[in-house]
Amino acid sequence: MPHADDDVTSSIPAASVARLAAYLHVLRSFSEHGVMVASSGQLATAAGVNPAILRKDLSHVGANGVRGVGYDVGRLTARIALALRTSDTHNVALAGAGHLGRALLAHTGLGRGFRVVAMFDTDPTLVGTTFGTGGVEMIVAPMTELSAECAAKDVDIAVVATSDAIAQQTCDTFVLAGVRQILNFTTVALHTPPSVHVRPVDLALELQVLAFNASRRDSTSAATQKAVSV
């Protein structure tokens, strides 16, 4: 059944959706530490964005803070959670039970709009092993059962955290099983039909960007100090 807020949700830009998810994480952290009201500046700093961008993002979900006071943390959390549909639960299958896959499993939890329902690997020493924390535990199944398990457990989202050598093959199996949303943690550019959305997450690339920014900052700082000394 369509959601009453389908039109609102579909109008939110993809970049804003990603940042709203980050704000939701920050707001929940604030709540855990007893923070009841937060300014746009506090939220923006914690989320690592410009306050103007934060306010524009929040306008997409109809959230307006009180001038001179800020945002009610509880109400803003509820509003963003509603927009991101975290009350809906989407089933996730995780391919790759190595260190990365287990780290991803350990950071899943309730109230975030998804749950891991299956985990696969090709390593016979990992198949049959149970991993997980915080009430989320998975028995690693062999990769040969991926298609059947995805169909049986109605998987909506797939995570590819395998070796690069089998990334495309794993992706193809997910697609044939009917999965249309894939999170790719490998360095391989996965090829899929237009109906399948792939979101790549290259950790090495992100670190390289940060290293470049750090080097540029150091160079700027050195140049400034030289100019001052002259």
Side-chain angles (χ1 to χ4, degrees):
M1 179 180 294
H3 289 250
D5 58 336
D6 274 350
D7 291 340
V8 174
T9 302
S10 62
S11 68
I12 302 176
S16 292
V17 170
R19 289 192 294 267
L20 285 167
Y23 305 153
L24 187 58
H25 177 74
V26 169
L27 288 164
R28 284 172 171 162
S29 177
F30 280 4
S31 293
E32 290 173 1
H33 289 85
V35 179
M36 307 298 291
V37 177
S39 68
S40 59
Q42 289 174 312
L43 285 171
T45 298
V49 300
N50 183 286
I53 292 177
L54 178 135
R55 288 191 290 270
K56 184 174 181 180
D57 290 336
L58 295 183
S59 71
H60 291 301
V61 298
N64 297 304
V66 178
R67 183 178 294 276
V69 178
Y71 296 90
D72 181 294
V73 170
R75 290 181 180 176
L76 184 56
T77 299
R79 188 174 288 273
I80 296 177
L82 179 64
L84 297 182
R85 298 179 183 170
T86 60
S87 59
D88 294 352
T89 301
H90 298 280
N91 293 338
V92 179
L94 177 57
H99 294 300
L100 177 58
R102 279 174 269 167
L104 294 172
L105 178 63
H107 284 83
T108 61
L110 299 176
R112 304 190 70 176
F114 59 86
R115 63 179 176 184
V116 178
V117 296
M119 193 172 188
F120 308 93
D121 206 281
T122 57
D123 187 342
T125 64
L126 293 177
V127 172
T129 304
T130 300
F131 292 114
T133 57
V136 181
E137 294 188 342
M138 283 291 114
I139 298 176
V140 181
M143 203 73 82
T144 53
E145 296 181 5
L146 188 151
S147 184
E149 284 288 290
C150 284
K153 296 182 177 179
D154 194 23
V155 169
D156 305 299
I157 303 169
V159 178
V160 179
T162 64
S163 65
D164 289 354
I166 63 170
Q168 185 62 57
Q169 176 185 348
T170 303
C171 174
D172 293 342
T173 305
F174 274 129
V175 172
L176 288 174
V179 179
R180 294 293 177 264
Q181 304 292 326
I182 298 176
L183 186 61
N184 177 25
F185 277 93
T186 74
T187 61
V188 176
L190 300 176
H191 300 287
T192 62
S195 60
V196 177
H197 177 72
V198 177
R199 186 175 178 85
V201 181
D202 189 332
L203 299 179
L205 176 61
E206 297 302 326
L207 287 172
Q208 188 173 14
V209 171
L210 291 175
F212 171 76
N213 289 339
S215 298
R216 183 169 56 181
R217 183 193 62 189
D218 292 342
S219 297
T220 302
S221 177
T224 301
Q225 290 177 1
K226 183 178 180 180
V228 170
S229 64
V230 172

